[in-house]
Amino acid sequence: MADATDHLWMHFTRMASYAAGEVPTIVRGEGAYVWDAQGRRYLDGLAGLFVVNAGHGRTELAEAAAKQAGELAYFPLWSYAHPKAVELAEKIASLTPGDLNRVFFTTGGSEAVEAAWKLARAYFKRTGRPTKHKVVSRYLAYHGTSMGALSITGLPGIKTDFEPLVPGGIKVPNTNFYRAPEHGDSSEAFGAWAADEIRRAIEREGPDTVAAVFLEPLQNSGGCFPPPPGYFQRVREICDAYDVLLVSDEVICAWGRLGEYFGAARYGYQPDIVTTAKGITSGYAPLGAMIASDRLMEPFLTETGMFAHGVTFGGHPVSCAVALANLEVFAREDLIGHVRANEDAFRTTLEKLTDLPIVGDVRGDGYFYGIELVKDKTTKATFDEAESERLLRGFLSSALFAAGLYCRADDRGDPVVQLAPPLIAGQEQFDEMEQILRAVLTEAWSRL
């Protein structure tokens, strides 16, 4: 549409890049594919934005939204309830690990992260430890763009325009074993070192000042960093030793992306809080949630107790109805089982690309993978800023899309291509991804 740049301010977009060209406009989706305004079909290799887990074109989800809007389009959760929020909270609590039974609804992931940090601060104030307010998170990790969530985020490049941020954000190394600064010969030793970096950070800051550790089960930004063996178990021990809350940020990793309803279950650890959004509705309506343990709600159950936080559209009736219908699809079609049954085939298909000189590493789990690009596979030499600009933004993103694959080419860490297709995808889609990537990455190498 020629007028897209006249009034529409797109998110995380270099608007000037469309000054002389047309903005790609997606008009329809079905299954694992989307179509643009010219009728061209693309394989959705990113599930929209790690969102459309159940796939596009689910009429039953649209019908659930319409039915709820006709009954009760809106009512707030401020001192009132509505049936779909009650039902969904109960359903979520039945799926979470351990005693994560208290569901605080938001409209998205950043809001869920904000709510979690505020809860951590409020909890410690109400239990007699008011100086515990800081947060530990990892380098390159993305936790959202609102001011608190941005302060937890470990991506310097998206912070500069908005500084000074909320004080109290502490950064520690991530779990990129491919570029391990220590113990590169042992994933177990590297995991122990990375976990102990959290311990050292807490000790440096003072345990009486640290409220929480925010970690994604599998870190998104930087290119899909899985946890080394034993990493989360050691982090849990550290958090318990210093009375620090462990927040599992599962805005991406929950709802089947890793072959479980929650990533914490995939990697065998028990968080105190889970933050989630995206796949909870498969993107058919906006919804997020902070899910807390029973213990964290106790200080707010006194006669005058209140968690003084809320958002107008948190737990919107239509969104809750869509989420319930979405989870019915998950159960009826066993999408979790489908991911577990096909994740090895997805990995194996993507690993075929390691014969290309530009592919340094293929990593991830479930239906969530990153392919790191390098100049030299032997030395793992990466691209400088100018080369990365020319490779990713100047060629790869547009070339992959033109070839029929929507995915993410990202250089917020080392250059990577990220893939997270809808959970309905199978071998046909895996092969299509591999073939397109092979052709485009081969062309990219020839242009270096």
Side-chain angles (χ1 to χ4, degrees):
M1 295 182 180
D3 60 350
T5 58
D6 293 343
H7 306 290
L8 179 63
W9 198 335
M10 290 173 285
H11 298 203
F12 280 107
T13 299
R14 294 181 178 183
M15 298 296 290
S17 64
Y18 295 113
E22 189 172 326
V23 177
T25 305
I26 303 302
V27 299
R28 183 169 70 88
E30 183 68 32
Y33 296 89
V34 295
W35 283 259
D36 68 13
Q38 284 72 46
R40 292 185 291 258
R41 190 186 82 163
Y42 305 88
L43 173 57
D44 184 356
L46 206 64
L49 194 62
F50 317 103
V51 172
V52 191
N53 289 7
H56 297 276
R58 293 279 188 174
T59 57
E60 62 265 55
L61 302 189
E63 290 166 357
K67 182 175 185 292
Q68 180 59 44
E71 294 175 358
L72 179 68
Y74 174 74
F75 209 78
L77 294 179
W78 300 41
S79 301
Y80 299 88
H82 57 76
K84 293 304 181 185
V86 174
E87 186 179 350
L88 180 57
E90 182 179 12
K91 180 64 176 178
I92 291 171
S94 75
L95 298 172
T96 51
D99 67 341
L100 295 169
N101 295 319
R102 305 293 185 161
V103 182
F104 184 96
F105 287 117
T106 66
T107 63
S110 290
E111 285 181 358
V113 170
E114 291 279 348
W117 194 0
K118 290 180 77 172
L119 175 60
R121 288 184 168 205
Y123 171 78
F124 283 117
K125 284 189 176 180
R126 286 172 177 267
T127 55
R129 291 157 291 176
T131 61
K132 289 175 78 70
H133 68 278
K134 298 176 185 176
V135 167
V136 177
S137 59
R138 297 183 290 203
Y139 289 120
L140 299 182
Y142 178 88
H143 293 283
T145 53
S146 53
M147 291 300 281
L150 188 60
S151 301
I152 299 172
T153 290
L155 292 163
I158 66 171
K159 296 182 175 188
T160 306
D161 282 349
F162 313 109
E163 293 174 331
L165 300 176
V166 179
I170 306 156
K171 303 300 177 287
V172 296
N174 57 49
T175 60
N176 183 1
F177 184 58
Y178 182 67
R179 297 193 176 278
E182 302 279 346
H183 306 290
D185 58 344
S186 168
S187 60
E188 289 83 358
F190 171 64
W193 170 84
D196 278 335
E197 283 295 292
I198 295 174
R199 173 185 59 79
R200 285 184 275 271
I202 293 171
E203 291 174 347
R204 284 194 303 271
E205 297 293 326
D208 59 336
T209 71
V210 179
V213 173
F214 277 68
L215 304 173
E216 297 165 276
L218 191 158
Q219 183 174 319
N220 167 35
S221 289
C224 298
F225 304 144
Y231 173 79
F232 274 111
Q233 289 67 37
R234 176 62 182 142
V235 172
R236 179 72 267 180
E237 292 174 355
I238 292 165
C239 288
D240 289 342
Y242 293 105
D243 197 14
V244 170
L245 303 182
L246 175 55
V247 181
S248 190
D249 185 354
E250 307 210 13
V251 172
I252 291 175
C253 292
W255 314 115
R257 180 58 52 193
L258 300 180
E260 297 284 351
Y261 277 105
F262 292 94
R266 169 74 189 237
Y267 298 125
Y269 65 95
Q270 180 60 50
D272 299 294
I273 300 174
V274 164
T275 54
T276 190
K278 294 189 183 285
I280 192 172
T281 64
S282 286
Y284 285 71
L287 186 67
M290 174 191 70
I291 313 164
S293 68
D294 290 326
R295 171 175 68 101
L296 297 183
M297 192 173 189
E298 287 177 4
F300 304 96
L301 295 177
T302 62
E303 185 175 344
T304 59
M306 178 182 67
F307 180 41
H309 178 59
V311 290
T312 299
F313 293 113
H316 191 283
V318 173
S319 297
C320 289
V322 170
L324 286 164
N326 182 53
L327 293 177
E328 288 176 6
V329 171
F330 270 64
R332 184 175 70 247
E333 300 184 12
D334 190 20
L335 293 185
I336 302 293
H338 180 77
V339 172
R340 286 198 295 261
N342 289 277
E343 64 175 340
D344 289 344
F346 188 30
R347 177 190 293 271
T348 299
T349 303
L350 293 179
E351 284 179 342
K352 292 179 182 179
L353 296 167
T354 57
D355 68 345
L356 298 178
I358 198 172
V359 174
D361 193 29
V362 175
R363 55 182 178 256
D365 280 319
Y367 273 29
F368 191 19
Y369 274 85
I371 301 169
E372 183 167 335
L373 309 180
V374 294
K375 284 197 297 187
D376 188 309
K377 294 177 77 159
T378 302
T379 64
K380 302 182 184 180
T382 192
F383 302 92
D384 62 33
E385 186 173 341
E387 291 167 333
S388 183
E389 175 74 17
R390 189 169 66 249
L391 176 70
L392 267 71
R393 294 189 175 87
F395 175 71
L396 268 184
S397 292
S398 58
L400 287 167
F401 192 67
L405 176 62
Y406 165 70
C407 59
R408 169 182 274 179
D410 191 10
D411 64 346
R412 290 179 292 180
D414 294 302
V416 296
V417 175
Q418 283 187 293
L419 298 159
L423 307 188
I424 59 170
Q427 191 61 54
E428 179 183 351
Q429 287 74 39
F430 304 157
D431 289 339
E432 188 176 351
M433 279 185 262
E434 190 272 338
Q435 290 159 14
I436 293 173
L437 285 163
R438 178 172 294 278
V440 174
L441 291 175
T442 298
E443 173 67 14
W445 182 256
S446 72
R447 289 167 172 258
L448 291 176

